[in-house]
Amino acid sequence: MEAYIKYNTFDKEQKDGLKAFSNDSLHYNQAENYLVCPMGQRMKHIGDGQRVTTSGFVQLISRYQAPNCEGCPMRGVCHKAAGNRIVEINHGLRKHKQAAKERLNTEQGIKYRKRRPADVEPVFAQLKHNHGFRRFLLKGLSKTEVEIGLLSIAHNLRKWKA
């Protein structure tokens, strides 16, 4: 099964393109494990670490540092921190984003992207406007699952009846 789901910055990248100084736009040399900054400096790998998200997912992060940002004409646009620029990259996420971007820009992906607003978004509008659903009334995952389940059943019954 192929996923044709947009990641959080997909629309912005399509509209504006990648910004020259964003982490995602930096060229990565996998063979020698370094990044290249927009001014052409090799950003050396300085270590790996882990970050745990609020949902408990463990991300593997690689850190890279530019050797000399002193006197760089693009420094103010590139970064504002004291010292040389340090970038944290999640290579796994970067690969997933690239694969998703390639799928979404295929003929099939464009077709699915055009169809989504007609398929999915009206359901949320229906729940918000006609049901008056603005927020969950109950607390806790199991209770919110029951609440959204009841809303879904009501929505499906309304569609079935029509």
Side-chain angles (χ1 to χ4, degrees), residues 3-155:
Y4 290 91
I5 306 296
K6 293 189 281 188
Y7 51 92
N8 60 345
T9 57
F10 179 79
D11 287 326
K12 187 173 181 154
E13 288 174 15
Q14 295 298 304
K15 183 179 165 207
D16 303 332
L18 282 174
K19 302 295 183 205
F21 297 99
S22 72
N23 290 357
D24 289 334
S25 68
L26 300 176
H27 173 72
Y28 176 61
N29 183 317
Q30 189 172 3
E32 297 181 39
N33 194 20
Y34 68 85
L35 291 171
V36 179
C37 84
M39 292 303 290
Q41 287 191 64
R42 282 187 176 194
M43 299 178 80
K44 188 174 86 174
H45 181 253
I46 58 172
D48 294 317
Q50 292 183 344
R51 183 181 299 144
V52 181
T53 65
T54 54
S55 62
F57 184 76
V58 178
Q59 297 177 332
L60 301 174
I61 304 295
S62 296
R63 294 175 53 125
Y64 298 87
Q65 184 173 25
N68 186 15
C69 294
E70 194 74 28
C72 177
M74 303 303 268
R75 182 186 175 114
V77 180
C78 183
H79 75 104
K80 295 178 180 24
N84 297 327
R85 182 177 180 184
I86 295 177
V87 174
E88 292 183 343
I89 300 288
N90 180 339
H91 290 294
L93 178 60
R94 208 172 196 196
K95 286 177 187 170
H96 287 300
K97 276 183 164 182
Q98 185 60 37
K101 186 178 194 175
E102 289 170 6
R103 274 194 306 276
L104 287 166
N105 285 322
T106 63
E107 200 172 302
Q108 186 72 22
I110 292 168
K111 180 178 143 190
Y112 286 146
R113 282 192 288 146
K114 285 181 179 176
R115 199 172 73 194
R116 179 184 160 84
D119 289 347
V120 179
E121 301 304 331
V123 174
F124 294 115
Q126 189 73 248
L127 289 174
K128 287 176 79 175
H129 185 73
N130 294 344
H131 290 275
F133 182 73
R134 296 279 187 258
R135 57 189 292 174
F136 288 100
L137 301 174
L138 304 172
K139 293 183 179 180
L141 186 58
S142 62
K143 292 176 185 174
T144 54
E145 284 175 347
V146 169
E147 195 172 351
I148 197 69
L150 290 171
L151 282 165
S152 299
I153 290 169
H155 177 77

